[in-house]
Amino acid sequence: MDSKKTLALLQEVKNGTLSPEKAVLKLRTSPYEDLGYAKVDLHRELRQGVPEVIYGSGKTPEQIMGIASAMRKNGVGTILITRLSTEAAEIVEKAIPLDYDEVSRLGIAGRKAEITSSGIIVVASAGTSDLPVAEEAARTAEALGNKVTRLYDVGVAGLHRLLSKLDVILKARVIVAVAGMEGALASVIGGLADCPVIAVPTSIGYGANFGGVSALLSMLNSCASGVSVVNIDNGFGAGFLASRINHLGDKE
Amino acid sequence: MDSKKTLALLQEVKNGTLSPEKAVLKLRTSPYEDLGYAKVDLHRELRQGVPEVIYGSGKTPEQIMGIASAMRKNGVGTILITRLSTEAAEIVEKAIPLDYDEVSRLGIAGRKAEITSSGIIVVASAGTSDLPVAEEAARTAEALGNKVTRLYDVGVAGLHRLLSKLDVILKARVIVAVAGMEGALASVIGGLADCPVIAVPTSIGYGANFGGVSALLSMLNSCASGVSVVNIDNGFGAGFLASRINHLGDKE
Amino acid sequence: MDSKKTLALLQEVKNGTLSPEKAVLKLRTSPYEDLGYAKVDLHRELRQGVPEVIYGSGKTPEQIMGIASAMRKNGVGTILITRLSTEAAEIVEKAIPLDYDEVSRLGIAGRKAEITSSGIIVVASAGTSDLPVAEEAARTAEALGNKVTRLYDVGVAGLHRLLSKLDVILKARVIVAVAGMEGALASVIGGLADCPVIAVPTSIGYGANFGGVSALLSMLNSCASGVSVVNIDNGFGAGFLASRINHLGDKE
Amino acid sequence: MDSKKTLALLQEVKNGTLSPEKAVLKLRTSPYEDLGYAKVDLHRELRQGVPEVIYGSGKTPEQIMGIASAMRKNGVGTILITRLSTEAAEIVEKAIPLDYDEVSRLGIAGRKAEITSSGIIVVASAGTSDLPVAEEAARTAEALGNKVTRLYDVGVAGLHRLLSKLDVILKARVIVAVAGMEGALASVIGGLADCPVIAVPTSIGYGANFGGVSALLSMLNSCASGVSVVNIDNGFGAGFLASRINHLGDKE
Amino acid sequence: MDSKKTLALLQEVKNGTLSPEKAVLKLRTSPYEDLGYAKVDLHRELRQGVPEVIYGSGKTPEQIMGIASAMRKNGVGTILITRLSTEAAEIVEKAIPLDYDEVSRLGIAGRKAEITSSGIIVVASAGTSDLPVAEEAARTAEALGNKVTRLYDVGVAGLHRLLSKLDVILKARVIVAVAGMEGALASVIGGLADCPVIAVPTSIGYGANFGGVSALLSMLNSCASGVSVVNIDNGFGAGFLASRINHLGDKE
Amino acid sequence: MDSKKTLALLQEVKNGTLSPEKAVLKLRTSPYEDLGYAKVDLHRELRQGVPEVIYGSGKTPEQIMGIASAMRKNGVGTILITRLSTEAAEIVEKAIPLDYDEVSRLGIAGRKAEITSSGIIVVASAGTSDLPVAEEAARTAEALGNKVTRLYDVGVAGLHRLLSKLDVILKARVIVAVAGMEGALASVIGGLADCPVIAVPTSIGYGANFGGVSALLSMLNSCASGVSVVNIDNGFGAGFLASRINHLGDKE
Amino acid sequence: MDSKKTLALLQEVKNGTLSPEKAVLKLRTSPYEDLGYAKVDLHRELRQGVPEVIYGSGKTPEQIMGIASAMRKNGVGTILITRLSTEAAEIVEKAIPLDYDEVSRLGIAGRKAEITSSGIIVVASAGTSDLPVAEEAARTAEALGNKVTRLYDVGVAGLHRLLSKLDVILKARVIVAVAGMEGALASVIGGLADCPVIAVPTSIGYGANFGGVSALLSMLNSCASGVSVVNIDNGFGAGFLASRINHLGDKE
Amino acid sequence: MDSKKTLALLQEVKNGTLSPEKAVLKLRTSPYEDLGYAKVDLHRELRQGVPEVIYGSGKTPEQIMGIASAMRKNGVGTILITRLSTEAAEIVEKAIPLDYDEVSRLGIAGRKAEITSSGIIVVASAGTSDLPVAEEAARTAEALGNKVTRLYDVGVAGLHRLLSKLDVILKARVIVAVAGMEGALASVIGGLADCPVIAVPTSIGYGANFGGVSALLSMLNSCASGVSVVNIDNGFGAGFLASRINHLGDKE
């Protein structure tokens, strides 16, 4: 809870318009709704300027619907639901209008986002198999009001594919580099670009990729500066962070 | 090599002011100086607007001096030397004026950086033992033209220390969160802040911290959005990336 | 076998009321029933004041029923069956009255527990997906005679949810902190509370959480004192230990 | 910050004896002293009833002395300094009277603790080489006001050594089980005792013990209920937690 | 190929009863049958005094039948088939008389083994869930001509169950100790017994047992001498080795 | 892009037969076809003298067909599809004539390869269960124009099987050694052969083989010189590299 | 404590020659001497027919001397001290006559062992660098009364060195196979021999040998039956177990 | 032992010029010299056309000298000694003329190698810190009769450095790619080259590079075909294998 709100509250107490007991209660009753199985955070959009997100995995369709309904009831405009299975999407869709994408398993409920940043986010992926993660990043960024350019299947084994798109790389304000296997794409892009690069290791590969560990370590040890890393297969996190950075270029 | 340069080169060839043979040569003779043991990249400052960096570890003092001299000879204004041992610093200092900090083992050769961004980078660290890494991040960011606010020893075991600085957190344009042991600081700051958070795991701790792995995994799995991670103890990388993001807020 | 019993036995031998041969036999014939595939420990309730527990995973429904029946035949009042699948529960239920919970997969056979401690055990969980483990802990503790307060979905990404329940934290005699992903909840609670905290890492998450390893390491490296850790997803173990600690406050 | 204090503060604001601005300031100015490199938490003794602890590793003797002096100046009675090297101890000793133990590398500054709990903490260790960790646990517990019984070199390879001390095991209110190598001691004690057991894996061993990992995993997977685990070699943490549990038996 | 045979062969060459060319051929034509997908070793029974073994996992029922038929055709008396699924067993059974056990997934084709050693092999297991591995060891040993005593569910959490069978432990010539979770059983038996102990870690457990790694490391780091370890879940290997050791006591 | 082509291009620009703008475009329009989800590299056969390869895993049958069709349309003679499931093969087969092998899951579309090297590649495997990987290597090599000798089930547990084929080993120009479990085959062959040995660890085994890690480490640490390693189960990679090496013996 | 002793004790109680109180005491006062830092087990020689062993690592020279003196005072004939540094050996030697070997760091105090088994233990090592571990095994076995044949530097990279000693392999009653790097020696010997093989992985190697893990996994996954494994570098354990097995051939 | 030699031997036996007994002896007395601590393989140069190699690490200077002397006495022309410390080199140098390089720690004793292959081996390294490993590879290859082109400090962070040397890459017959950190160099070179690429991961880096594991996994998972991998820091192995492959292009 930030200090401006605390100050306003205390001012009310001083003015006698709020009793100390009620003030304590108010400090307690923070803006979330308690559903028992979840405490829905209702002021995040206000506080952070972004829609609310529901992590779909490990929740029943019923729980997802309950959380989404509580949000909508409280005026949340756009709701992102990540890792939403096709089955769950079908159930949720009956209750809430939903824009669902099977590849990325991302569902977007509510009004469409408007473009709110002048910058461009480039989402680059090494191979065709990395698409689900890349699309999760791209669609998340779009849902948060960003222009996105997709650059798919530009892995380093055929370097000319990437080099032929060098101008796209150089015009980006943020780049999301998605790669499995040896994850070298992040380092190569990091060496070419002069903007922040968010690397997303994917679990694509087999054997000694250990479910994405090879790409993860590769990206963490990138010899190129300006590269940071999110969790394996975390397309949403990369898209979210890319949006946050992309909006900095317009903010101040 | 970007397309504008290629186009200009080809125009010269068309105009007859450059023979095809020489053009090929020119495309080859990229702007680095070959010292045998190193190929010094001389146009990075021009290309990316940042001073050149020498990774000191694993290089002899002689190699470091050789690389730094080649840079200065070619007009590089500010040179950062990371992971520079006290012994090597003493030898380098004899040849080049050097601002050396023992805690972070960072050496800065050449002219001092001017503040070139209106934003503030907050460098927060969990404990006193994380200082070397935090200082490497902070000094790197300062050398790259950023205002830095330090917030040290604000680990989550005594949460009131961090909460009492909430206004500092909320005013930052980028935050670097440095922590060893369980690395929870990154998640807690990530939940409080509305700007990009760069998490730096440190090797501080013992036993099952496995040289920083516990903090690294913690940060990669952060439940807070907007957090990305760099390598264990990579204060330089975090400071460099923070600077890049911080300057976005002024660029466009 | 404790010394008082040995002494009593020897006294009988001295008095001639027990032959040495029979005494050896008695020392041998310890109070368990041998079912071939299992040696059912029948005096644990007596010895340790707690009901007997059957670890359901990896046992056939028939084996579970066999063990439970042997216990009941020997007068065990309450029997806990952990990791009991819905299918196995249905089979067991036909033979023994069973209170089964699908979320935690915990089955309780026999008479309901009475509250035997004046203290309160708080079971806190970071997210909705951690519920199965949290419920296993809570229901285990209740079955062992404890008052339990549930504090679910209070993860550190939205710190105000936890802080608004600070009074609950401060009134607890023991706290069980259940969290997956980065497991920071344990450290934050450990820093706020002044009672023992039992941390339970869960396998919730993906990618670099490595099936709960990230949370496990996080908790083992907690910078807060007073925190100890049980196995990944071991809600039962945490509830059992919490009960043991909670009853200390009443015992002496 | 707990709710009673908040209420009192707000009451003052209502009464007009405290301006809202000062109240915000007060909420901010939490009771620590900022030394730049460290924020010394000065109300922990008050809050949690235990002396303050300095983790000595990774801090310079000067930093340790600075922190300890700030504490003493603010009236902290007893100060524990863990992982204190002999060299650092000699330097600290010149400024502050110090009770230093070379085996456990624990230093205790200030007044001696009085026994404040009627219970007994048993510290058991598997081998002679585990002594430094076991002594850290034992001395920590003693410094926090507990009676401690030491049971050293009772590893499971010679089970009769442990069984001959069964009465000691059964009289304990808490047991700290310290073991390296295969760490089986924790499970065996866990099966014999009816009180909480805190397992401390040590890094003692070689080869496939991987610096304590073998004992750590062994203890986390203990088939005995009532066992929880702290970090490898974390004698202090075990002693601290044991004290907290031991005092529960007297508190209420 | 041992030297006596080589000598005999050379003698024949010298005598002129065997041409050098044919001798080379003979050295080549070693006693196996090549099925294309497998080279069936036909002289192992002769060479090592034990029946041939087929590792069933990863082979089609057809391949298993092909190999077994080749063996029988060449006079192999008893054939062990390990890790044989129920489905494969049913198919194989149609072609070859098979004694199949579902718990251990061991199939024995051919004539029953006679007891050929006077010693006793004890197979001890920690829990009911370890039965499949323990039975694989026990049945393998029996098929190789050994007397086996089973000691199941004697895990260290209830030490009296094991201690009550101390006489069985002391009469064994070899002991196979089967345990999952923390695998402490091997160390405790190793400390009590004076014969070779073969430890078999099992994958039984969950979370930080990492599929048997916890028990494996525990057993490799056993503080008791005289303990060696085989692969996780390798009941066959333990039974085979136990038989080899058990027969030493009769051999010379 | 190699320098000869660049030079030719520039010459055209100089001659005025190509405008600088079009030249830039041409440098960009590298020879691949962009299908959106994939950028099909069409000049690899020309450039590297080998057919194009599609990694089937993680691609939908539709994507595989799309990529293969684009290739054929552009004149690629032979197309290898690795890790192709039976289901996908059936779908692809309807559109393109396909030579599909169920064991290795390798599909070959287009004209059959002619033998283009005089050398022999030996593919040796340790056990019957390693066949799928060994066949992937063998068939890949055959599809790339090599003579292949198969040497299956020659694991080191029955050394005479391998030694009897020593002449085959000695006549090879390259050897692919495929083995799971402890992977010792690579070292033994490496010690016997005087040609390059490509080791392929397989995931065959259980327990502490950790999905092929045991064989992988074994092969990386081979005490025999001349051995290099590819990824676990990467039969294709080994076959491809073997072909490349095998053709060296004919090239120059 | 075995049952014969318990029976005798109880008989005395019945006869009245021993009071119950004293019997309890006697059961308690097991035959070890408590030195505070160590509980010296004094009846192991009697019980298990082997000399006592002191694990020297992690003990001060004073502690080693204290333990050894307690043993000698109580009549232990031969004392093995493993992992004894040269420095410690020099100190111990002043108090007790010591046969110390620098290569294996094994010290033997007391009377020399006589050969008590007719069998031969073969200790084979892969390389010259494995000597310290191999010698620890060989000297331990000799000190326990065994005939030992050394077979050093017979690694699989030069298979003819091992094959030329096949007769030695075939005459052994037990074989200890010592190897670092890829540890293939154990499998190859396991395939040739028909006696128990104890595999000892060593930490010899670099890079991906991970301190002996590569050899350890290799040996655990050995495709040859009859092989079991001890801890990395545990020459003593292998020698001890080999002796136990070797004496079985004479015992009954 | 190959079949031609066996045939010749047998022919002698048939002719009566060799007694069977002596033939067995001869088969036994393979061409190595037994120094006790080492069995020096003396016919490898003959058999494999390459000089003998001594792995210096873990051997005393005396052992190295002993082995080298035995070789020279038996006519080995060139001897490579790898991982030779400066101290050991000085001692060896006194007895044998030695060409020692401090960077790669490689010593070459005996006559200089002549160039025996027309191909070129390119040794490329990512950074200046990788030099020791790269030089070990380069000097090994030179000592084995190869022309070597060095391409140092061409890491992917500054891609133009590598691209400007594309002609060197394309003219190579074999490439050794040496890189630490994220090891992306191997994949990028693998995508550009059409010859075999041997990847050597180095331990250069820090934190999550885990002593070379990041580069190792990266290289094993390379998306480029034609790449195989040797052990971390194994410059010798790469140079040796590169030589073997390079000579294939001339052999047949």
Side-chain angles (χ1 to χ4, degrees), chain A residues 156-157 159 163 181-182 184 187-188 191 206 208-210 214 217-218 221-224, chain H residues 156-157 159 163 181-182 184 187-188 191 206 208-210 214 217-218 221-224:
Chain A
V156 302
L159 208 56
L163 293 179
M181 300 175 91
E182 93 283 59
S187 285
V188 171
Y206 59 91
N209 85 324
F210 301 128
S214 57
L217 293 185
S218 208
N221 286 284
S222 178
C223 55
Chain H
V156 302
L159 206 57
L163 293 179
M181 301 174 91
E182 94 281 61
S187 285
V188 172
Y206 60 90
N209 84 323
F210 301 129
S214 57
L217 293 185
S218 207
N221 285 284
S222 177
C223 54

Side-chain angles (χ1 to χ4, degrees), chain A residues 121-124 168-170 172-177 189 193 195-199:
Chain A
I121 295 174
V122 169
V123 177
V168 178
I169 296 288
L170 291 172
R173 204 185 269 165
V174 202
I175 301 174
V176 175
I189 287 185
C195 68
V197 176
I198 304 166

